[in-house]
Amino acid sequence: MKLDDLVSLIPRTGEREQFLDLGRRYYAARTAAGAGREASAGDEAALDELMEQVRWHLRAARHPIPARDELERMVREHFAGPA
């Protein structure tokens, strides 16, 4: 699954935009200091918030919830663009 597929399951446009903004901020924070650095507490909190949003929206849609590392991969691939 790609992040766009996940976002399309969120019914309201404003909530989709908020979710993508949170993903964008998470991605920017993780890439700002370089790929080799450890995740900070702020990074982990942002990923936790993304997971909470995913759980909330997908549970309502009765859709399987991706694992934390799968969500992280989706965000990275979405915002990094084509390799």
Side-chain angles (χ1 to χ4, degrees):
M1 177 182 271
K2 295 194 180 276
L3 192 65
D4 288 333
D5 300 327
L6 185 67
V7 170
S8 71
L9 297 171
I10 299 173
R12 294 187 186 107
T13 302
E15 291 173 350
R16 282 187 222 128
E17 291 170 3
Q18 288 174 349
F19 182 82
L20 283 173
D21 185 54
L22 184 57
R24 188 176 297 109
R25 286 184 282 138
Y26 170 75
Y27 178 76
R30 289 293 292 140
T31 58
R37 80 170 174 86
E38 292 292 317
S40 72
D43 297 344
E44 291 299 318
L47 188 55
D48 288 343
E49 178 61 25
L50 278 169
M51 282 302 303
E52 186 59 31
Q53 292 286 324
V54 166
R55 283 185 198 104
W56 192 84
H57 288 295
L58 296 190
R59 190 177 305 129
R62 297 182 181 198
H63 195 279
I65 298 170
R68 185 181 173 90
D69 60 336
E70 185 179 4
L71 178 61
E72 187 174 17
R73 177 196 52 79
M74 284 188 251
V75 169
R76 184 178 58 250
E77 288 175 355
H78 180 83
F79 291 106

